[in-house]
Amino acid sequence: LPPPFVLKVDPSYKSVKLNLVKTATVKNIVDLAPSRNRTIQQCGGTSVSYEFVEPISTVANLTSFIAKHGSTVTGELGRSIIIGACRTMNGSAIEDLSALENVTKIKGSLIIVDCPTLRSLKGTEKLLNVTDSIIFQANNELTDISSLKSLRDLGRSLVLDGNVRLKNLVGLENLSRIGQSVLLKMTGLRSLKGLGGVQSIGGKLTIINNAYLKSMDGVYSLTRIGTSLTLKYNPLLKNLSGLEFLMEIGGSLDVQLNQKLLNLRGLENLATINGSFALFNNLGMTSVDQLTSLTHVAGSFVIGSNENLVSVSLPAIKALGSPLPSKIEGGTQDGRRLLSDGEEMTVNERDEKFNHIFAVEYNTNLKYLNISKEIEHMPWNVYISENQKLSGFIPWDLMSKQAVRQATLSYNNYSGPIDPYLCQNTTTIERLDISGNGGVCGTLPDFCEDLDVTAEDTDFHEACSDIVPPMCVFLTQDSTIDQCDVLAKKYSSEPTQLSFTFPRYELQDDLPKNFNATIKYEFGIGTNPGDDNVNPMTNIGRVEFIGPNDTMIRHNWNLEERHMALVDGETYYVIVNAYDMTGVKGNNITSAGTTIDLLPPNVTGVKVALDVDVAGHYRVKWDAFMSNSGISQYAVKLLRGRDVIDKVAVSGNETMIESTIPPSQITNGTLFSAHVTGVSNAGLPSPQVVSPSVIPIPNMRKGNTETIIGVAVGVTLACLCIAGLAGYFVWRYQKRQKERAREEEWLRKLNNSVYTYLQGTGTKAGKLSAEEGSISLSDSYTFDADNSKDRIFIFTDIQSSTKLCEQDADAYLLLQEAHDEIMRNALAELGGHEVDTEGDAFQCMFPNVVTSLLFCFKVQEDLLKYDWPPAVQNLHECEKVESKLYRNKYVWSGPRVRMAVHFAKGGTYMAKSHPTTRRVAYGGKPWQTTSMLSDVGHGGQILVSEAAWRQLMATGDEGAAGYPIFEDLGSYEVGEEGLPI
């Protein structure tokens, strides 16, 4: 990643627009969210994140921030510090960082932007670690950072940008590691003294536009730079002394537009550059002879437009550019590229290894170019041109090194013949441009016809023969049949791979097979037919032949190692072509497109209805499932209780089935349900959608005497049973004491609440209807996952429950059992929904404010009236407390339960139904607000949010709720986000 970027936005702005440029893609213009939002959503297919933060601008705010987020015990600050737009208010201007005097660690970043009052970092003397970045930007009066003397580790980047009065980095001597990048831009630095302890930089070291920087003195311990070293627009920089211990650069070395830079002194021990080397427009540069230890440059090597450069020397170099195979397959000239007159190289410029170059160009005074004779590898492309004083023989030894495919050596002052060794089968060069070197002379041997030579304005001229590109096998067998297509799935659920097949290609020229190399294949991926804007054309290294006589080729494009993924809903097209070792390509063939569908079919709002009669006939109807790729089939299961007794699979176009089961499967009182699962065309199964359970009823079309007699007998027996049971309970009632009678009452209520809980609703069961083919055990008031309806959320818990349990675990068990019964009985009576429980805490939902308040009142009254055992009343704050206003009345008895009531408007919360139990779970901001509100109350209190109160007032239902008396407690900030309630 590049160094972090801080953008100061004027408060009057309503939006921010950035131009995001990604490698190998077109420029994307990203519209970001308005600045009034606290965050700006991540944009595009990039790993870069954006955050909008209001900075700290006064000492008072800074002190308050440290007190709020810092630990006085550990000295750790849990959040980033962002200071900006500093201003003076009542003598509170930020001139230093004294507020941080006890901070030892910042879990985040330390960012100071546009703080004209800041002069030093006094107060950071104890700071040891910053987990993210340090960014000081546009602080015009900052002259001293020596207070950072204790800093040892920086997790990410160090950015010093626009601090024009900062002359040195004294204070960073103990800093040994910088996790990512260093950016020094537009500072007053004279050197890098202060960074002597830094041994490695994980990312880039970028030094740009520092008007007074003369050398790199100060980084004496630096041995490795993780990615790139960039030096630009430093007008007084004369050399790179100070980098003597630098041995490896993980990326590129880029030195440009440093007017007084004479040489690269300081890089004598640099051995490896894992990226490219670039030296441009350094007017004072006279020699590049200091890279005496450099052995490897993985990317390009470019020296250009250095007007006073005289000498370039790489005495130890072993390899330049990405490595290619050590030898050409077959060991013959079949590895050579054949070109006709005027033909351009058809090189895949999007493949990085083809883009690497060795270039020494437009250095008008260059006389000496000395490259080690021990070099083993050169880039694909070599450019040595427009160096008018570079004379002598052409460096043929460089042209014959491994991997060189073309060389442009135009308009130098070279002379002499072309070395015939270039025509040997051990070389890889295909094209040579020696135009403008008037002294080049001679001819090539007869067997060297394959080398393409351009020699305008010289004494040499030669041509090459044509070569025919490979063709598809199907076309070569029958030119009237066009079967040369790429075959791929129409839909796929794989986000990290794309498989396809295509026909094999064959050579069509008359040259011997051993003269023409084995055909190579390349493919590209794009979002439009013929485009490769997703994956540029890439070589297929290992070819897998399939089909009769190996006429087809199969390939799997795997993105997992590249940390990429295909986009859901997007259609991707595969392009394939073939070429031989000469680089001549056949015609592209393209697939019909593969649409990515990563999500299972959507079952939100889908309902399943089941009808069953006693004769075994059943019918299942359901709403169509939704999927980007469409539904291929539905799997329907009929269950008796928990046992699956029938399975049916139907086409994705169907939404109903009718079938029959043996009547023997149906017994009196049997519960049946239907489970429906959809499978998308991409192969993803949906969650299972379950119908309400039903009891088979007689087929009303077949009324008969046996059914009537059975019903009559059943009614008679039921009446007799009821009469017997009534007599039994009357007798039992006379025998039992008052306590036993109350216990039976509780059991009855508990049974009612359990029945209600099993339905997932607070309503009562519907009545059976003989006219209906099936009877659902849930009525029309059953709560569903439709989040468009207004809801009331209630959170409750027992005050000091942990302390009560620790005091007497047995007594607390009795307390909680009674508490849970009281809660569930009230829910059952008033139509509430028990969403979840956590220990003694209940999370409930009601359809309106009235029933929610009546629930709260009933629970508090039932807790007060309950006959608590002495063991419970001996617990902390559970004793009876007599009223001081009314005789023989009590205000407390048993546990003290606090309650929170909050109104959630439809669409502002989340609701999800479990596919098996059909219970509904809730979430979202209203749910979180209710949870936070419940944490601030006291036992016995019913805290009602303003939203819930206003809903009650708006509906005019105060009377239905018993005209409750509300006390306005004011507005408070609740929770970590400081939500006003």
Side-chain angles (χ1 to χ4, degrees):
L1 293 176
F5 173 72
V6 177
L7 174 66
K8 178 185 174 184
V9 181
D10 190 279
S12 64
Y13 287 13
K14 295 183 178 179
S15 63
V16 178
K17 180 178 289 187
L18 300 180
N19 288 340
L20 177 64
V21 180
K22 298 191 296 184
T23 303
T25 63
V26 298
K27 181 180 296 185
N28 292 299
I29 299 178
V30 182
D31 290 321
L32 303 181
S35 60
R36 63 176 178 271
N37 291 350
R38 289 190 174 274
T39 60
I40 297 178
Q41 296 295 326
Q42 182 171 327
C43 65
T46 174
S47 59
V48 179
S49 61
Y50 304 89
E51 185 177 18
F52 186 88
V53 179
E54 182 176 357
I56 299 169
S57 57
T58 66
V59 171
N61 290 343
L62 179 59
T63 303
S64 174
F65 182 90
I66 301 300
K68 181 177 181 181
H69 299 288
S71 171
T72 58
V73 177
T74 63
E76 182 175 292
L77 185 61
R79 297 180 65 177
S80 297
I81 301 178
I82 303 176
I83 300 173
C86 302
R87 61 185 186 275
T88 301
M89 290 186 63
N90 300 323
S92 61
I94 299 178
E95 298 181 356
D96 56 38
L97 301 182
S98 298
L100 276 69
E101 60 184 359
N102 293 318
V103 175
T104 60
K105 180 179 180 179
I106 298 176
K107 293 183 69 175
S109 298
L110 174 57
I111 301 175
I112 307 176
V113 179
D114 188 21
C115 188
T117 60
L118 183 70
R119 290 176 171 79
S120 74
L121 304 183
K122 178 183 177 182
T124 60
E125 288 81 3
K126 296 181 181 180
L127 185 60
L128 299 173
N129 179 273
V130 177
T131 61
D132 286 345
S133 301
I134 293 179
I135 303 175
F136 299 152
Q137 182 174 314
N139 304 293
N140 296 332
E141 297 300 320
L142 181 62
T143 61
D144 180 21
I145 63 172
S146 61
S147 298
L148 291 173
K149 60 185 180 181
S150 298
L151 185 64
R152 285 169 170 75
D153 188 85
L154 181 57
R156 293 194 177 175
S157 299
L158 173 63
V159 177
L160 301 177
D161 183 4
N163 305 285
V164 295
R165 299 189 63 185
L166 185 62
K167 297 181 179 180
N168 58 65
L169 302 177
V170 174
L172 299 178
E173 289 80 4
N174 290 316
L175 182 60
S176 61
R177 186 187 74 92
I178 298 176
Q180 290 187 1
S181 300
V182 175
L183 172 62
L184 305 176
K185 181 180 179 181
M186 298 179 67
T187 70
L189 295 176
R190 271 62 172 173
S191 68
L192 303 186
K193 290 182 179 179
L195 294 178
V198 177
Q199 300 177 6
S200 68
I201 296 174
K204 296 182 178 182
L205 173 56
T206 305
I207 303 176
I208 298 178
N209 202 5
N210 297 279
Y212 305 100
L213 185 67
K214 294 182 178 181
S215 72
M216 302 288 286
D217 286 341
V219 285
Y220 304 113
S221 301
L222 184 62
T223 61
R224 185 180 187 279
I225 297 174
T227 55
S228 302
L229 171 58
T230 301
L231 301 169
K232 292 183 180 180
Y233 304 103
N234 301 289
L236 299 183
L237 184 64
K238 293 184 178 181
N239 55 61
L240 306 185
S241 61
L243 293 173
E244 283 79 4
F245 284 88
L246 182 62
M247 301 178 66
E248 180 182 5
I249 298 176
S252 299
L253 173 59
D254 187 3
V255 183
Q256 298 187 41
L257 296 160
N258 302 284
Q259 297 178 359
K260 293 189 177 181
L261 186 63
L262 300 176
N263 51 55
L264 301 184
R265 181 162 61 88
L267 297 181
E268 288 82 357
N269 291 310
L270 179 61
T272 302
I273 300 174
N274 289 320
S276 298
F277 176 97
L279 192 69
F280 285 113
N281 293 301
N282 300 284
L283 299 181
M285 182 74 65
T286 59
S287 69
V288 184
D289 299 333
Q290 295 76 34
L291 301 174
T292 55
S293 300
L294 185 62
T295 61
H296 182 79
V297 177
S300 300
F301 186 95
V302 182
I303 299 178
S305 301
N306 301 283
E307 294 182 1
N308 294 303
L309 182 63
V310 175
S311 173
V312 175
S313 178
L314 299 174
I317 196 71
K318 296 289 186 183
L320 295 169
S322 299
L324 294 176
S326 59
K327 61 180 180 179
I328 300 174
E329 295 180 23
T332 63
Q333 280 186 325
D334 58 1
R336 193 173 315 287
R337 168 79 192 285
L338 303 183
L339 295 169
S340 60
D341 289 340
E343 183 184 0
E344 294 294 332
M345 290 288 289
T346 55
V347 175
N348 185 348
E349 296 181 352
R350 292 194 177 117
D351 192 326
E352 184 180 0
K353 68 183 180 183
F354 298 153
N355 288 336
H356 290 160
I357 65 173
F358 175 87
V360 179
E361 296 184 292
Y362 299 100
N363 303 287
T364 54
N365 286 293
L366 182 65
K367 295 181 179 180
Y368 308 104
L369 178 60
N370 300 316
I371 308 297
S372 172
K373 293 183 179 181
E374 302 298 323
I375 189 170
E376 300 172 354
H377 189 280
M378 287 284 291
W380 183 295
N381 302 291
V382 175
Y383 298 92
I384 303 174
S385 60
E386 302 292 341
N387 305 289
Q388 289 84 353
K389 293 186 179 181
L390 190 60
S391 59
F393 290 112
I394 292 177
W396 302 119
D397 56 332
L398 295 182
M399 308 304 107
S400 63
K401 297 302 179 184
Q402 177 183 340
V404 176
R405 290 292 186 271
Q406 67 170 357
T408 299
L409 309 172
S410 58
Y411 297 98
N412 301 297
N413 196 26
Y414 286 133
S415 60
I418 295 178
D419 191 340
Y421 181 78
L422 296 181
C423 301
Q424 299 295 323
N425 57 17
T426 56
T427 64
T428 57
I429 189 168
E430 300 164 352
R431 180 177 179 179
L432 177 65
D433 186 354
I434 53 175
S435 300
N437 295 278
V440 174
C441 58
T443 59
L444 288 174
D446 293 338
F447 67 86
C448 201
E449 297 177 349
D450 306 327
L451 180 62
D452 181 22
V453 178
T454 301
E456 297 178 2
D457 299 325
T458 69
D459 296 331
F460 180 85
H461 299 281
E462 188 65 39
C464 292
S465 60
D466 293 334
I467 189 168
V468 179
M471 295 183 66
C472 168
V473 170
F474 288 134
L475 291 179
T476 59
Q477 293 177 349
D478 187 347
S479 59
T480 63
I481 301 176
D482 187 2
Q483 301 182 53
C484 287
D485 296 321
V486 180
L487 306 179
K489 293 180 179 179
K490 187 174 182 180
Y491 300 101
S492 174
S493 61
E494 295 288 343
T496 59
Q497 64 179 4
L498 185 59
S499 299
F500 55 91
T501 59
F502 57 92
R504 177 168 56 89
Y505 280 66
E506 288 183 350
L507 295 171
Q508 299 302 305
D509 53 52
D510 296 329
L511 297 174
K513 294 298 180 184
N514 64 344
F515 192 90
N516 292 280
T518 303
I519 291 178
K520 302 292 182 181
Y521 299 90
E522 61 181 5
F523 75 98
I525 308 291
T527 54
N528 294 296
D531 287 347
D532 60 348
N533 57 339
V534 175
N535 183 72
M537 297 299 289
T538 305
N539 180 58
I540 299 178
R542 181 181 178 182
V543 177
E544 179 185 1
F545 292 98
I546 60 173
N549 301 320
D550 292 338
T551 55
M552 298 294 290
I553 296 173
R554 177 169 56 199
H555 185 68
N556 181 54
W557 181 47
N558 194 315
L559 294 79
E560 189 169 0
E561 295 180 355
R562 302 173 60 183
H563 305 289
M564 294 173 57
L566 301 176
V567 178
D568 183 44
E570 184 64 81
T571 300
Y572 294 90
Y573 299 85
V574 183
I575 311 169
V576 173
N577 66 34
Y579 63 96
D580 58 22
M581 290 293 290
T582 66
V584 176
K585 299 179 182 178
N587 295 326
N588 288 346
I589 57 176
T590 307
S591 70
T594 299
T595 300
I596 304 301
D597 184 5
L598 304 179
L599 300 177
N602 187 357
V603 297
T604 302
V606 171
K607 299 184 184 300
V608 176
L610 171 65
D611 295 329
V612 182
D613 62 31
V614 295
H617 301 290
Y618 74 89
R619 179 174 61 191
V620 182
K621 298 179 66 175
W622 62 91
D623 300 327
F625 294 10
M626 300 301 295
S627 173
N628 288 338
S629 60
I631 303 298
S632 63
Q633 68 171 18
Y634 293 101
V636 183
K637 294 188 293 186
L638 181 66
L639 282 78
R640 185 184 63 192
R642 296 185 178 180
D643 300 327
V644 179
I645 61 174
D646 198 13
K647 295 182 180 180
V648 180
V650 298
S651 167
N653 298 324
E654 304 290 336
T655 57
M656 183 187 74
I657 65 165
E658 292 189 66
S659 188
T660 304
I661 58 175
S664 60
Q665 297 279 5
I666 301 177
T667 58
N668 188 30
T670 305
L671 290 177
F672 287 85
S673 62
H675 296 190
V676 180
T677 303
V679 181
S680 69
N681 283 316
L684 292 174
S686 73
Q688 192 169 250
V689 183
V690 182
S691 73
S693 298
V694 300
I695 300 174
I697 67 172
N699 189 335
M700 298 309 296
R701 294 173 298 179
K702 296 184 178 181
N704 52 59
T705 304
E706 290 81 3
T707 302
I708 298 173
I709 293 174
V711 172
V713 172
V715 172
T716 302
L717 290 177
C719 292
L720 291 175
C721 290
I722 292 172
L725 289 173
Y728 172 78
F729 280 113
V730 169
W731 177 77
R732 290 288 292 173
Y733 178 82
Q734 294 172 348
K735 288 285 187 177
R736 291 188 176 185
Q737 299 175 353
K738 181 180 179 180
E739 182 178 356
R740 184 60 177 168
R742 187 165 184 171
E743 181 179 353
E744 289 181 358
E745 176 67 13
W746 276 110
L747 289 174
R748 184 188 65 77
K749 292 182 177 180
L750 178 61
N751 181 63
N752 184 40
S753 64
V754 170
Y755 179 81
T756 303
Y757 175 76
L758 292 175
Q759 297 180 79
T761 174
T763 60
K764 297 181 179 180
K767 296 182 179 181
L768 300 180
S769 174
E771 288 78 14
E772 296 178 350
S774 301
I775 294 90
S776 169
L777 293 182
S778 299
D779 67 8
S780 60
Y781 294 98
T782 299
F783 296 120
D784 54 28
D786 183 4
N787 70 342
S788 64
K789 300 176 182 178
D790 295 344
R791 297 292 190 223
I792 302 295
F793 295 144
I794 296 181
F795 280 43
T796 76
D797 73 317
I798 299 174
Q799 179 174 282
S800 306
S801 57
T802 303
K803 185 174 182 179
L804 298 178
C805 185
E806 292 174 349
Q807 182 179 349
D808 188 340
D810 293 336
Y812 180 74
L813 181 59
L814 295 174
L815 179 151
Q816 186 168 355
E817 289 177 350
H819 164 269
D820 292 353
E821 288 180 335
I822 291 172
M823 294 290 295
R824 290 195 171 104
N825 284 330
L827 283 169
E829 181 175 333
L830 292 165
H833 175 62
E834 180 182 330
V835 179
D836 198 4
T837 58
E838 298 177 4
D840 61 282
F842 273 69
Q843 300 167 1
C844 311
M845 185 278 293
F846 282 82
N848 56 68
V849 183
V850 173
T851 55
S852 66
L853 293 177
L854 293 177
F855 164 76
C856 294
F857 302 153
K858 178 172 178 55
V859 169
Q860 295 291 359
E861 291 172 358
D862 288 351
L863 290 171
L864 179 63
K865 295 176 181 179
Y866 188 80
D867 188 7
W868 297 103
V872 173
Q873 292 192 342
N874 289 333
L875 294 176
H876 175 69
E877 292 185 342
C878 290
E879 68 279 3
K880 285 189 175 182
V881 179
E882 190 171 356
S883 172
K884 296 181 180 180
L885 298 177
Y886 303 98
R887 184 177 299 176
N888 298 324
K889 295 289 187 180
Y890 296 93
V891 293
W892 295 111
S893 180
R896 303 188 180 186
V897 177
R898 54 188 176 185
M899 297 179 162
V901 182
H902 182 56
F903 170 70
K905 187 170 182 60
T908 64
Y909 62 91
M910 295 183 295
K912 183 177 182 181
S913 176
H914 193 283
T916 301
T917 66
R918 293 179 291 129
R919 293 182 61 80
V920 181
Y922 296 90
K925 196 169 184 178
W927 186 261
Q928 296 172 359
T929 301
T930 312
S931 176
M932 291 186 290
L933 186 61
S934 71
D935 291 338
V936 300
H938 296 288
Q941 279 188 329
I942 303 173
L943 294 184
V944 181
S945 69
E946 183 180 1
W949 176 80
R950 288 190 180 278
Q951 181 66 12
L952 179 65
M953 296 298 106
T955 57
D957 289 334
E958 301 99 314
Y963 293 103
I965 299 175
F966 294 90
E967 180 182 355
D968 187 359
L969 300 179
S971 182
Y972 297 88
E973 292 185 355
V974 178
E976 293 183 357
E977 299 182 5
L979 298 174
I981 296 180

